[in-house]
Amino acid sequence: MANLQQRIQEIEQNIQAACQQAGRDRSAITVVAVTKEVSAARASEMIEAGFDQLGENRPEVLLAKQQEIETGATWHFIGNVQSRKVKDVINRVDYLHSVDRLSLVKEIQKRASQPIDCFIQVNVSGEATKSGVAPDELQQFIEEVANYDKVRVIGLMTMAPFTEDMAMIRTVFRSLRELRDEISALQLQYAPCTQLSMGMSNDYSIAIEEGATHVRIGTALVGGAESEGDA
Ligand SMILES: *Cc1c(COP(=O)(O)O)cnc(C)c1O
């Protein structure tokens, strides 16, 4: 695998090409560097390289990294969060990308010391194995969130299906954007819902073309566990 500088350069080029293709401004895209599989040392390198938005998906790993990393990173929790773990993470992260059920919203309400910026995870593709709110239940779900003032719905998040079918992936991303537009049109104060968290290593270009504001890039950017030491 290419070294870190090469990976950054390639991703930056791809992001700019996708922005150009879609007539979007590069500054509209936030890259969340997903460091869940690499060390705190590699995460620190990412910060030094200018990627200070870090994504983690396990509470223990998040806490361990935060103890080692002193420089100011912005933390995104991107994984499923078990209700009993909410208290461990909720006051240590800046964004939660994976709000997918009312029981989680209730637990956040109980444990958060201040309102937290959340993405509602939507299961656009409808796969049984995926978590997320069903598209046709989304509006009702978000209306219920009104009762819980610690959850600020800044946007929607989805995971594309695991497939080589790029047209299908694009359809999923486009559907999420349309859902985002429907919710934001409601002009709910607690749910501005302007953001779209979608796109990973294999599909971030498509996601950007379809309107992603946050791409969550792991292996293609930070490398995998096995690449540590090659940069
Ligand atoms: C691991 C993970 C990513 C990054 O995946 P890559 O394919 O390594 O880019 C993005 N989002 C979520 C929710 C993840 O769990």
Side-chain angles (χ1 to χ4, degrees), residues 86-133:
V86 167
K87 62 179 185 314
D88 301 334
V89 299
I90 199 66
N91 295 311
R92 294 172 169 272
V93 298
D94 301 287
Y95 297 91
L96 187 57
H97 287 243
S98 43
V99 175
D100 61 355
R101 61 193 190 278
L102 204 59
S103 59
L104 178 58
V105 170
K106 289 178 181 169
E107 189 64 19
I108 294 169
Q109 182 70 20
K110 203 155 80 180
R111 303 291 187 175
S113 54
Q114 56 188 38
I116 171 148
D117 286 341
C118 295
F119 293 84
I120 306 301
Q121 184 169 355
V122 184
N123 185 358
V124 176
S125 57
E127 292 161 281
T129 54
K130 278 221 161 74
S131 44
V133 179

Side-chain angles (χ1 to χ4, degrees), residues 154-201:
I154 64 162
L156 304 180
M157 177 271 211
T158 202
M159 310 258 290
F162 187 71
T163 172
E164 306 275 290
D165 183 347
M166 292 298 156
M168 182 191 278
I169 291 175
R170 187 180 292 279
T171 303
V172 165
F173 290 155
R174 189 167 296 172
S175 300
L176 194 72
R177 184 185 67 206
E178 288 166 0
L179 288 166
R180 190 272 316 264
D181 292 345
E182 286 171 24
I183 301 296
S184 66
L186 301 174
Q187 299 197 308
L188 304 169
Q189 228 178 28
Y190 66 94
C193 201
T194 52
Q195 311 292 298
L196 280 174
S197 170
M198 58 190 195
M200 318 199 318
S201 288

Side-chain angles (χ1 to χ4, degrees), residues 34 36 57 78 157 159 200-201 216-220:
V34 177
K36 66 187 184 191
N57 72 342
I78 60 172
M157 177 271 211
M159 310 258 290
M200 318 199 318
S201 288
R216 310 176 309 267
I217 311 182
T219 42

